[in-house]
Amino acid sequence: MTNFDQINIGDTLGPLELFVSKDQLPRVRQTDGHGRGAGRFTDDEAAKKEGLPGMILPGNMSLGLLSKLVTDGSARATRG
Protein backbone atom coordinates (compact mmCIF):
# COMPACT_ATOMS: atom_id res chain seq x y z
CA MET A 1 0.00 0.00 0.00
CA THR A 2 1.29 3.46 -0.88
CA ASN A 3 1.82 5.99 1.89
CA PHE A 4 1.53 9.32 0.13
CA ASP A 5 2.91 11.12 3.19
CA GLN A 6 6.32 9.75 2.20
CA ILE A 7 6.21 11.33 -1.26
CA ASN A 8 7.62 14.82 -1.70
CA ILE A 9 7.36 17.44 -4.41
CA GLY A 10 10.32 16.90 -6.70
CA ASP A 11 10.55 13.13 -6.15
CA THR A 12 11.37 11.33 -9.39
CA LEU A 13 8.83 8.98 -10.91
CA GLY A 14 9.46 6.45 -13.62
CA PRO A 15 10.65 5.61 -16.00
CA LEU A 16 7.54 3.95 -17.35
CA GLU A 17 8.11 2.35 -20.73
CA LEU A 18 5.02 1.23 -22.60
CA PHE A 19 4.32 0.35 -26.18
CA VAL A 20 0.95 1.43 -27.51
CA SER A 21 0.16 -0.08 -30.90
CA LYS A 22 -1.93 1.60 -33.55
CA ASP A 23 -4.33 -1.33 -33.25
CA GLN A 24 -5.06 -0.43 -29.63
CA LEU A 25 -6.27 3.11 -30.33
CA PRO A 26 -9.48 2.25 -32.22
CA ARG A 27 -10.30 -0.36 -29.55
CA VAL A 28 -9.88 2.24 -26.81
CA ARG A 29 -12.16 4.64 -28.68
CA GLN A 30 -14.80 1.91 -28.98
CA THR A 31 -14.64 0.89 -25.33
CA ASP A 32 -14.90 4.45 -24.06
CA GLY A 33 -18.18 4.92 -25.95
CA HIS A 34 -16.88 7.12 -28.76
CA GLY A 35 -16.80 4.57 -31.58
CA ARG A 36 -14.09 5.49 -34.04
CA GLY A 37 -14.38 9.12 -32.96
CA ALA A 38 -12.15 11.79 -34.41
CA GLY A 39 -9.78 10.55 -37.10
CA ARG A 40 -6.72 11.97 -35.35
CA PHE A 41 -7.04 9.09 -32.87
CA THR A 42 -7.47 6.30 -35.40
CA ASP A 43 -5.89 7.31 -38.71
CA ASP A 44 -2.46 8.72 -39.55
CA GLU A 45 -3.66 10.58 -42.64
CA ALA A 46 -6.56 12.24 -40.80
CA ALA A 47 -4.17 13.31 -38.04
CA LYS A 48 -1.73 14.75 -40.61
CA LYS A 49 -4.57 16.79 -42.13
CA GLU A 50 -4.95 18.39 -38.69
CA GLY A 51 -1.24 19.25 -38.58
CA LEU A 52 -0.19 16.36 -36.37
CA PRO A 53 2.69 14.00 -37.18
CA GLY A 54 0.37 10.98 -36.95
CA MET A 55 -2.23 9.36 -34.72
CA ILE A 56 -2.31 10.62 -31.15
CA LEU A 57 -3.53 9.08 -27.91
CA PRO A 58 -6.93 10.23 -26.66
CA GLY A 59 -6.70 12.34 -23.51
CA ASN A 60 -8.39 9.75 -21.31
CA MET A 61 -5.87 7.11 -22.40
CA SER A 62 -2.96 9.49 -21.75
CA LEU A 63 -4.41 10.25 -18.33
CA GLY A 64 -4.72 6.54 -17.57
CA LEU A 65 -1.07 5.98 -18.48
CA LEU A 66 -0.06 8.99 -16.38
CA SER A 67 -2.02 7.54 -13.46
CA LYS A 68 -0.09 4.29 -13.87
CA LEU A 69 3.19 6.21 -13.78
CA VAL A 70 2.17 8.00 -10.58
CA THR A 71 0.86 4.92 -8.78
CA ASP A 72 3.73 2.66 -9.87
CA GLY A 73 6.31 5.35 -9.14
CA SER A 74 4.88 6.26 -5.75
CA ALA A 75 4.73 2.60 -4.75
CA ARG A 76 8.44 2.24 -5.59
CA ALA A 77 9.26 5.44 -3.71
CA THR A 78 7.60 4.23 -0.52
CA ARG A 79 8.98 0.67 -0.55
CA GLY A 80 12.52 1.59 0.39
Side-chain angles (χ1 to χ4, degrees):
M1 182 157 120
T2 300
N3 181 352
F4 289 100
D5 292 334
Q6 296 176 1
I7 301 170
N8 299 301
I9 293 174
D11 285 351
T12 301
L13 299 177
L16 175 64
E17 295 184 29
L18 297 170
F19 176 77
V20 178
S21 74
K22 290 183 178 185
D23 294 336
Q24 288 174 289
L25 296 174
R27 290 196 311 254
V28 167
R29 296 304 292 169
Q30 290 170 350
T31 58
D32 71 5
H34 290 97
R36 285 192 55 84
R40 67 182 165 269
F41 302 120
T42 58
D43 180 58
D44 279 326
E45 292 307 313
K48 288 176 184 177
K49 287 179 183 176
E50 293 188 40
L52 299 164
M55 292 167 42
I56 61 172
L57 290 178
N60 59 346
M61 187 173 184
S62 297
L63 185 56
L65 296 175
L66 177 61
S67 297
K68 180 170 177 44
L69 172 66
V70 171
T71 56
D72 289 0
S74 61
R76 279 192 300 273
T78 59
R79 276 189 217 130

